[in-house]
Amino acid sequence: MITKEDVEHIGWLARIEISEQETVEYMEKLNSVLEYFGQLDELPTEDVVPTYHVAEIYNVFREDIVEECLPQETVLANTEYKQDGTFRVPKIG
Amino acid sequence: MVYENPDGIRIGLEIHVQLNKLKTKMFCGCSSDYHNAAPNTHTCPICLGLPGTLPVLNKKAVEAAIKVGLALEGEIAEETQFHRKNYFYPDLPKGFQVTQYDFPIVGKGKVVIEGEDGEHVVGITRAHMEEDPGKLVHIGSIEKSKGVLIDYNRSGMPLIETVTEPDMRSPKEARRFLDKFRNILEYLDVFDGNLEGAMRVDANVSVHWGTRVEVKNISSHKGVERALLYEIMRQKNVIRRGGKITLETRHFDEGRGVTISMRTKEEAEDYRYFREPDLMPMRVTDWIPAIRETLPELPDAKRARFIEQYGITDMHAKALTSKIMLADFHESICAQGVDPKIAATWTADVLLGELNYRDLVIGADVQGYAIICYNQKNPDIVRHIRVNDMVELVTFFAEGKISDRAAVEVIRSILDSKEEKTPLQIIEERGLLKAESDLVTMAVEETIAENEAAVQDYLGGAEKSLNFLVGQVMKKTKGTADAKTARELILKELKG
Ligand SMILES: [Zn+2]
């Protein structure tokens, strides 16, 4: 069971502000999703190898070859918070 | 002798190493050669974490990881795969770091170091691949930061994180482990340890077999010993005063040489790892035989061969193989037919000592021709030490044409001067050829010993006494000495 505190915690981890009303709403929705997964638990899966990837693809690589980078102006184009070619953000913590 | 470990110290390390010999980053084609570049000039939509991009793994990074795994005698996983480690920090543009979680590419291995009581095995828990975050510069100190500047040039650089068992029993063993580890990586040619940020270390340490504390942000392999010495002393003091050590993370302040408690977060760390859906799993164990073929002779093997092949001492062999470029340098010298034992002495004892004294480190080499050293504190000071020069010097010495002291002087002169002179030029310029110079030096030494009164007079300010002393030297050498040289030698001796 997911509690109100769990929803608040998940919200904090994702840095999403959740109102009191939303907390209750999400709690109910998440619990119904979990309930649905609970139904899957009824199936016998002891001998089934877990599926991690649906595509049966392995070993996708690229060669170590240099490609062109973006110009600095382009990289910084979408922010107004910049200083000497860097992004400037508030202090962390 | 068995090391008792009286304080019950256990040290484990987590070492992040940049695979900076690769040309490109981990998941994109951005050049890895960003170290002297302006900020945010080595980025693309992938390493900036823009939406809708698809990372593709650099094959060479996987090969390098396998190389490292084999050199650490680690198990290479049958199947390996990436995860997302989710957390918010501005150095991570995506909001998660691509790393490996429960399927690391390298499993259990080991490294043998010279421990407190002889050979000591340090277990490797695992080694995995991950991407480097960007670089943050705090405006002001980290504690009183006013804001943060971010440069994403480093973002997405390929890293290997190696985790050891808590098998080290002193800060010295931790440093030795790192020296050895770094040496192995340089032999493998996957890593240049001289580049800024190439190796970063976190250490966990406990005393009296107690609770461990994690020390983060140790940026140099020299810093490790200092950080651990401080942290062990701190923990012992806490216990002595009746306090308790709590599980915590501390930050090493390299400038002040202390560890500082990081504010504990009210929420426990919760990274919500899940499989990285954009990257396919890997099955690469069939690459192992071919990669094993490319493995170079590793430090321990080279050391054993040096003792065998050149008949040199274990101490010399160890010093010479402590850096691959130095080992190659020694082999190039010996290849020219000089006595390997004498060559080893002059390279391992004298040259290394003089380099060390001057804060010069070997930064590069031109194989078979020279090693290139630079000053750690002032990288503009660069010295080339040529194979041919060492051969010439060792030959002069071996043939008895110059003294011990003169040979040292030649090495010092090469290291102290920008002008690239050969030993022969230096020997001629300074008149270091034995016959004449040795006689004069001997005469100077005798004169000073025999004329205590005159020496005191001169030191007391009587300039004339110097002329008397020079006269005595001329007399002793029956006038063959050059008066000016004699005068200089006396002054050198008196000051010295
Ligand atoms: Zn990129």
Side-chain angles (χ1 to χ4, degrees), chain B residues 232-250:
Chain B
I232 287 168
M233 182 193 73
R234 189 192 67 84
Q235 291 187 22
K236 279 161 72 176
N237 283 341
V238 169
I239 293 168
R240 195 173 302 129
R241 284 191 236 104
K244 267 182 79 177
I245 302 298
T246 46
L247 195 72
E248 65 168 334
T249 300
R250 300 177 71 86

Side-chain angles (χ1 to χ4, degrees), chain B residues 200-253:
Chain B
R200 299 191 294 281
V201 181
D202 298 337
N204 55 71
V205 52
S206 59
V207 302
H208 304 312
W209 316 105
T211 308
R212 69 189 158 84
V213 168
E214 192 172 8
V215 182
K216 286 200 176 274
N217 185 46
I218 306 171
S219 60
S220 69
H221 61 135
K222 281 183 190 145
V224 163
E225 203 168 0
R226 278 175 66 222
L228 289 171
L229 282 171
Y230 175 86
E231 179 56 22
I232 287 168
M233 182 193 73
R234 189 192 67 84
Q235 291 187 22
K236 279 161 72 176
N237 283 341
V238 169
I239 293 168
R240 195 173 302 129
R241 284 191 236 104
K244 267 182 79 177
I245 302 298
T246 46
L247 195 72
E248 65 168 334
T249 300
R250 300 177 71 86
H251 177 96
F252 180 54
D253 185 325

Side-chain angles (χ1 to χ4, degrees), chain A residues 61-67, chain B residues 24 28-29 57-60:
Chain A
F61 300 112
R62 45 172 269 275
E63 297 302 321
D64 189 25
I65 294 167
V66 175
E67 286 162 47
Chain B
T24 67
C28 61
L57 182 56
N58 186 339
K59 192 176 176 188
K60 279 270 184 304

Side-chain angles (χ1 to χ4, degrees), chain A residues 9 59 62 64 67 72 85 87, chain B residues 24 29 39-40 57 150 267:
Chain A
H9 177 64
N59 297 0
R62 45 172 269 275
D64 189 25
E67 286 162 47
Q72 194 191 57
F87 292 88
Chain B
T24 67
N40 296 304
L57 182 56
I150 318 166
E267 301 262 355

Side-chain angles (χ1 to χ4, degrees), chain B residues 65-67 69-70 74-78 104-107 284-285 288:
Chain B
I66 295 175
K67 264 192 187 181
L70 293 176
E75 299 156 7
I76 308 298
E78 284 291 330
I105 185 156
V106 180
V284 289
T285 43
I288 293 173

Side-chain angles (χ1 to χ4, degrees), chain B residues 414-438:
Chain B
I414 289 173
L415 299 182
D416 285 335
S417 166
K418 268 197 304 215
E419 296 169 53
E420 297 198 352
K421 289 181 183 160
T422 66
L424 180 62
Q425 283 172 316
I426 297 166
I427 288 166
E428 283 180 342
E429 264 176 32
R430 302 191 175 204
L432 295 172
L433 278 176
K434 226 176 199 170
E436 110 190 65
S437 65
D438 260 20

